[in-house]
Amino acid sequence: MSSATSPLVHRARRATATAAVTAALIAAAGCGSSSNGAKGSPSEGSPKRAAATAPTSSGEDRTAKLISEAIDVTLDQDYLRSTRRKRTEGTTVMHSAMSGDTKACKAHAWKGAATLDWVITPSALYTRGSKEALQVAPEAKKHPTRVKVLADRWVKRNADVYEVMRDMCAPKTRRDWLEKRLPSLGQLKKTSSTQRPATVQGRPATRITYKWEGGAVEFHIATEGKPFLLRVTNPAMDLDESFSDFGKPFRVAAPPGAATEEEMAEEVLAAQ
């Protein structure tokens, strides 16, 4: 390989690797599926009700407002842990830390043996993928050396990838993702629900259930202290997410020893 063509190969492979990682992160985080609709407006993709709804009653109105308050209280926490389970993408656990306009988070996603970690600080994005996760990328068969070199290594991603992912930690991003997969506040006000006592993560809660096409939509809301949303499920939209560690401080820091994309690309070329 001549020195004249090496930089071109270097950039092409780096761009391909960046695109693959970005796509994997977006799929795991749900960043590409946010809704721009206002809170309380019908969300695109919300399932239709299974049966005709009763007129709005004061009881259903209060229940819908309680659900809205629970979402507000939960996603407005400075520190929060969420666990998102999806049939196709597996499970993602994310810790987010907010301080004014400063957003930071770290997450671990897995499906079987494939794992993906990422850390977003106020200025950079770091990722780490297992061999099994990297092998999912379309170019893995053509460039097995890249998989071998990058597997289980922390990499500081370039600015373009960081720009795509940096808002993943923001409450609005997470709220949009959640609300797109739920009936709107207006729909809930017009739909009868049932309420039963429950226990989630060792905390007493109220389980609010709506009969919905494709499966029951359920909200578990804490009954002691603030009305935190402990868990929400909607099978029709592949939604199963729980929340915990409300307000418990933790630190998000750059992983030690992370290499830049340029350094990793040079390692890949040297190993071939």
Side-chain angles (χ1 to χ4, degrees), residues 39-40 56-74 175 179 183-191 193 195 208 210 219 221-222 226-229:
K39 184 174 177 61
T56 302
S57 67
S58 58
E60 295 306 331
D61 186 70
R62 287 194 299 271
T63 300
K65 288 182 178 179
L66 172 62
I67 292 170
S68 179
E69 180 186 3
I71 294 174
D72 288 341
V73 168
T74 300
R175 181 188 299 275
E179 291 185 345
S184 69
L185 180 63
Q187 289 174 314
L188 295 180
K189 287 181 178 180
K190 298 177 182 179
T191 308
S193 65
Q195 299 187 29
I208 302 171
Y210 294 88
F219 301 86
I221 299 176
K226 293 183 179 180
F228 291 120
L229 179 62

Side-chain angles (χ1 to χ4, degrees), residues 145 149-150 153 259 262-272:
T145 303
V149 172
L150 268 67
R153 299 273 302 275
E262 289 76 10
E263 291 170 337
M264 296 300 288
E266 292 296 342
E267 284 193 44
V268 171
L269 290 173
Q272 292 178 344

Side-chain angles (χ1 to χ4, degrees), residues 46-93:
S46 295
K48 297 180 180 179
R49 291 182 293 280
T53 58
T56 302
S57 67
S58 58
E60 295 306 331
D61 186 70
R62 287 194 299 271
T63 300
K65 288 182 178 179
L66 172 62
I67 292 170
S68 179
E69 180 186 3
I71 294 174
D72 288 341
V73 168
T74 300
L75 297 184
D76 287 345
Q77 292 296 299
D78 287 339
Y79 299 94
L80 181 66
R81 171 176 173 164
S82 66
T83 301
R84 182 178 295 165
R85 309 165 191 85
K86 291 178 66 63
R87 290 187 294 267
T88 53
E89 282 86 17
T91 301
T92 300
V93 176

Side-chain angles (χ1 to χ4, degrees), residues 30-259:
C31 291
S33 305
S34 63
S35 167
N36 294 322
K39 184 174 177 61
S41 300
S43 299
E44 181 184 355
S46 295
K48 297 180 180 179
R49 291 182 293 280
T53 58
T56 302
S57 67
S58 58
E60 295 306 331
D61 186 70
R62 287 194 299 271
T63 300
K65 288 182 178 179
L66 172 62
I67 292 170
S68 179
E69 180 186 3
I71 294 174
D72 288 341
V73 168
T74 300
L75 297 184
D76 287 345
Q77 292 296 299
D78 287 339
Y79 299 94
L80 181 66
R81 171 176 173 164
S82 66
T83 301
R84 182 178 295 165
R85 309 165 191 85
K86 291 178 66 63
R87 290 187 294 267
T88 53
E89 282 86 17
T91 301
T92 300
V93 176
M94 181 193 300
H95 288 78
S96 59
M98 310 294 297
S99 178
D101 293 332
T102 301
K103 301 179 287 290
C105 62
K106 57 183 180 180
H108 177 66
W110 69 92
K111 182 179 181 182
T115 63
L116 184 64
D117 296 276
W118 65 93
V119 171
I120 297 179
T121 70
S123 60
L125 164 67
Y126 303 83
T127 66
R128 178 177 64 182
S130 68
K131 177 183 68 175
E132 292 80 6
L134 296 176
Q135 286 174 334
V136 174
E139 73 276 11
K141 291 183 178 180
K142 296 181 181 179
H143 306 292
T145 303
R146 190 182 71 84
V147 174
K148 183 178 179 180
V149 172
L150 268 67
D152 299 315
R153 299 273 302 275
W154 280 107
V155 181
K156 182 180 180 180
R157 294 296 165 186
N158 287 336
D160 54 348
V161 185
Y162 173 66
E163 288 297 317
V164 172
M165 299 300 298
R166 65 178 181 174
D167 290 331
M168 183 182 70
C169 311
K172 184 180 185 305
T173 301
R174 306 178 81 180
R175 181 188 299 275
D176 287 349
W177 190 94
L178 181 62
E179 291 185 345
K180 187 177 179 68
R181 288 156 178 78
L182 289 172
S184 69
L185 180 63
Q187 289 174 314
L188 295 180
K189 287 181 178 180
K190 298 177 182 179
T191 308
S192 298
S193 65
T194 59
Q195 299 187 29
R196 293 183 176 85
T199 301
V200 181
Q201 305 165 23
R203 303 179 66 149
T206 296
R207 183 177 67 190
I208 302 171
T209 303
Y210 294 88
K211 291 184 178 179
W212 222 263
E213 181 180 353
V217 178
E218 292 193 328
F219 301 86
H220 290 79
I221 299 176
T223 54
E224 293 182 356
K226 293 183 179 180
F228 291 120
L229 179 62
L230 303 179
R231 187 177 183 184
V232 56
T233 57
N234 183 1
M237 301 299 288
D238 195 13
L239 171 64
D240 182 352
E241 188 163 14
S242 56
F243 302 90
S244 60
D245 293 352
F246 309 101
K248 292 184 179 180
F250 66 93
R251 184 168 176 263
V252 178

